[in-house]
Every structure is written in C-alpha cells, then in structure tokens.
C-alpha cells in the first residue's frame, strides 16, 4: 500500500497551477493507480539544467493491469481528457483496431528520443499537451497520455507523463550546418557558431510531438552508441523502456552508412541475440527491420 501511496504522490507533485490545468486527468490517473485491484509498475526520469537546477525534462510511466470488469477506470480517464481539453493546446486519440501498430512519440526534455506510444499491439491511446503555466516563456509543456489494450479477462496499459519544450520551439531551434573553407559552421536561428560535432539535418522521422533527426556519425561513435542501447535493453528486455531502446537501435540502423561491411555483420549478429531476448512482437519487428536496414 505504501508503494501505491508513493505513486499517487508522485503524480500530484506539480504546482497548484498545473493541477488546475490538468486536474481531471491527474485525479483520474490517481484513482486507477491507487485502486486495490490495480497491478502497477512505474518508471521515473528527471532531467535538470546542471547550472541552474531548472527542470528540463521529465518521464513518468505507470504500467498497469486491471480486471476487465473495471473498465470504468478507462472510461473515467477518457472523460477526464474531455473535461480538460479546453486547457490543452493539442489533443489526439486513436484506435489501432484491425492494425498491427499505430505508432507515435512524445518528447522528453533532455533526451534525443521521445517516449513511444501505440507500441502495444491492438492498443488504443489518447494524449493531450498543456503549456507549463510556470514557464513565462511558454516554451515548455506537459504531455499526458494513456495507452491501453483490452483482453478477455484483463485490461493492460500505460499512463504516461512527459515534460519537454514544445514542438514549435524545437523546430525553431533546429541546428543546420554548412562548411566554409573546410570549417563547419552551425546555423542556429539567427546565430552562427563553429564546432566539430556532427550537425542535425532537420529531417523528421516521425510526425509527432517528438522530433527525431538523422545525423552522420563516425563508425566508432555509432558502435559506441549501439553498444550503450544494447546493454540498456539487456538489463530488462521486458521492461517499460525496452521498446524505447529498440526504437533507438532501429534509428541507428537507418543511418549506418559510416559502418564497414564487417561492422554491419557484427551488429546484425548482436541484434539477432537481442531479438531472442524478447517475446514482444513490436520489438521483434523493429529488430528485423534494423537488420534489413544494415544490408
């Protein structure tokens, strides 16, 4: 019971202004999480500016399982989104019925990749975006989402909260680079700076709240990043973050031009091993497509 009280407190630990903005949604989330019939596991991440201590990103995920007879919790959350929609600047919902997946992503501040929703086969999801009322620049937002799948005896799903800058702000800050006399110039808005890092090319992979970019990496950098995601995935292949790491690996494999053939073969072998560690259809398909991209 103590753990459920902790989960409830973690959802409500935002400012009173924010509670007012998404009050119905947060109360409905809290009711599901703290009910005695709910099985719940949580994952939390918080990113801050190291100099100012200001929050730049947040990810809270609550994986839940409830009896099918408790469908009223799902109905209440959907109704809560409807009640709070006038305060949201964006809201979306979909049903993946008769489809394998209907995939999108929610940005998490301080992270290159967003958090995927729609990754559960035959699931439905709903999400809404709200400006952070404490941010006078109006460049940060909270996202609230629910993804769920109904079975014969149980309903499984996730409640998700993320914090990041708005997509409009991120688009305005996209960095582009050109070379002048062999020197790399990064163009960021109206300013210029010289640097040695690889630039973003501004091409979006998913049309969603989260922006993803292709960038060219050295083979050493590519392999190091792949190994990091591989090890994170292996820590908990069935956990909440597994699809996030699998998606990151797929993204890498879509941009593997810097790898030599022998390196690609080595990576493909490792991905085969990762595929054998999971029974999730979506993740297995991601790994299959990753290998195809390496060919």
């Amino acid at each position: 019971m103590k753990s459920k009280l902790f989960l409830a407190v973690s959802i409500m630990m935002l400012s009173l202004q924010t509670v007012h903005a998404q009050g119905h949604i947060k109360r409905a989330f809290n009711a599901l999480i703290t009910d005695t019939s709910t099985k719940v596991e949580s994952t939390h991440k918080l990113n801050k500016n190291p100099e100012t201590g200001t929050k730049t990103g947040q990810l809270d995920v609550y994986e839940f399982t409830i009896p099918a007879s408790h469908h009223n919790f799902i109905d209440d959350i959907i109704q809560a989104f409807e009640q709070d929609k006038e305060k949201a600047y964006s809201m979306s919902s979909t049903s993946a019925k008769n489809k394998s997946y209907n995939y999108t992503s929610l940005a998490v501040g301080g992270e290159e990749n967003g958090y995927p929703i729609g990754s559960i086969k035959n699931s439905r999801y709903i999400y809404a975006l709200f400006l952070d009322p404490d941010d006078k620049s109006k460049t940060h937002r909270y996202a609230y989402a629910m993804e769920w799948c109904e079975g014969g005896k149980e309903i499984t799903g996730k409640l998700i909260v993320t914090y990041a800058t708005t997509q409009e702000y991120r688009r305005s800050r996209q960095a582009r680079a050109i070379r002048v006399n062999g020197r790399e110039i990064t163009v960021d808005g109206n300013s210029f700076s010289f640097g040695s890092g690889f630039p973003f090319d501004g091409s979006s992979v998913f049309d969603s709240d989260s922006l993803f970019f292709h960038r060219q990496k050295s083979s050493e950098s590519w392999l190091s990043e792949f190994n990091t995601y591989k090890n994170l995935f292996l820590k908990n292949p069935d956990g909440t973050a597994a699809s996030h790491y699998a998606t990151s690996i797929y993204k890498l494999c879509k941009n593997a031009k810097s790898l030599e053939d022998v390196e690609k073969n080595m990576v493909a072998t490792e991905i085969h091993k990762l595929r054998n560690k999971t029974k999730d259809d979506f993740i297995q398909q991601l790994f299959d497509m990753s290998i195809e991209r390496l060919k």
Side-chain angles (χ1 to χ4, degrees):
M1 186 63 186
K2 288 183 179 179
S3 63
K4 290 202 172 185
L5 286 174
F6 172 79
L7 293 174
V9 170
S10 67
I11 284 186
M12 302 305 289
M13 285 292 289
L14 297 176
S15 67
L16 291 175
Q17 269 189 303
T18 308
V19 170
H20 177 72
Q22 301 99 47
H24 294 95
I25 294 173
K26 295 173 75 171
R27 282 191 290 271
F29 276 19
N30 183 66
L32 186 154
I33 288 172
T34 58
D35 190 79
T36 56
S37 68
T38 303
K39 299 176 183 177
V40 61
E41 294 183 1
S42 64
T43 300
H44 304 280
K45 181 180 291 187
L46 180 65
N47 295 324
K48 292 184 178 182
N49 183 309
E51 295 182 356
T52 65
T54 304
K55 180 169 70 174
T56 58
Q58 172 186 332
L59 173 64
D60 298 305
V61 181
Y62 305 86
E63 292 186 275
F64 67 84
T65 301
I66 57 175
S69 59
H70 287 53
H71 193 278
N72 59 291
F73 284 117
I74 304 300
D75 293 335
D76 289 345
I77 291 175
I78 294 173
Q79 180 61 29
F81 273 95
E82 184 68 22
Q83 291 173 305
D84 285 339
K85 73 176 183 180
E86 293 302 321
K87 302 180 184 71
Y89 69 85
S90 180
M91 183 170 166
S92 180
S93 62
T94 189
S95 168
K97 192 175 182 180
N98 299 322
K99 298 179 182 179
S100 294
Y101 299 99
N102 195 343
Y103 181 83
T104 189
S105 177
L106 296 173
V108 179
E111 305 289 322
E112 183 178 358
N113 294 336
Y115 187 85
I117 56 175
S119 59
I120 302 174
K121 192 172 183 179
N122 295 322
S123 68
R124 303 177 181 182
Y125 65 77
I126 183 171
Y127 71 85
L129 310 178
F130 303 83
L131 286 176
D132 177 5
D134 294 326
D135 179 15
K136 302 303 181 183
S137 67
K138 297 184 178 180
T139 58
H140 288 80
R141 62 98 185 106
Y142 285 95
Y144 290 81
M146 175 177 67
E147 179 181 1
W148 76 101
C149 183
E150 300 182 30
K153 295 182 179 180
E154 294 180 332
I155 300 173
T156 59
K158 304 175 185 179
L159 303 179
I160 304 151
V161 181
T162 79
Y163 184 79
T165 51
T166 64
Q167 187 182 62
E168 181 179 8
Y169 176 80
R170 294 194 302 278
R171 281 177 173 162
S172 72
R173 299 289 294 177
Q174 286 180 13
R176 302 178 184 275
I178 59 175
R179 284 188 173 274
V180 178
N181 296 328
R183 298 187 68 187
E184 185 178 87
I185 302 176
T186 300
V187 184
D188 186 6
N190 295 320
S191 63
F192 294 80
S193 62
F194 290 89
S196 59
F198 289 104
F200 295 119
D201 66 7
S203 57
S204 177
V205 177
F206 296 108
D207 182 18
S208 67
D209 173 67
S210 182
L211 292 178
F212 294 79
F213 307 102
H214 300 299
R215 57 179 175 176
Q216 186 67 32
K217 305 174 187 289
S218 67
S219 61
E220 293 82 4
S221 175
W222 196 104
L223 291 170
S224 177
E225 190 169 343
F226 169 78
N227 195 51
T228 297
Y229 288 130
K230 182 194 76 171
N231 290 332
L232 288 169
F233 178 85
L234 288 174
K235 284 184 178 180
N236 192 357
D238 300 316
T240 302
S243 60
H244 173 72
Y245 300 133
T247 302
S248 298
I249 289 172
Y250 175 59
K251 178 191 172 187
L252 280 174
C253 292
K254 291 180 70 175
N255 298 276
K257 294 180 181 180
S258 63
L259 298 186
E260 297 179 358
D261 289 343
V262 65
E263 293 170 326
K264 290 181 179 179
N265 291 335
M266 177 185 69
V267 171
T269 299
E270 293 300 311
I271 294 176
H272 272 298
K273 295 177 183 178
L274 296 178
R275 191 188 190 285
N276 293 333
K277 294 291 184 179
T278 180
K279 296 181 180 178
D280 186 279
D281 290 340
F282 175 71
I283 294 177
Q284 288 178 343
Q285 288 185 41
L286 276 178
F287 286 149
D288 287 341
M289 291 190 296
S290 298
I291 293 171
E292 284 296 319
R293 290 285 185 170
L294 291 171
K295 293 180 179 179

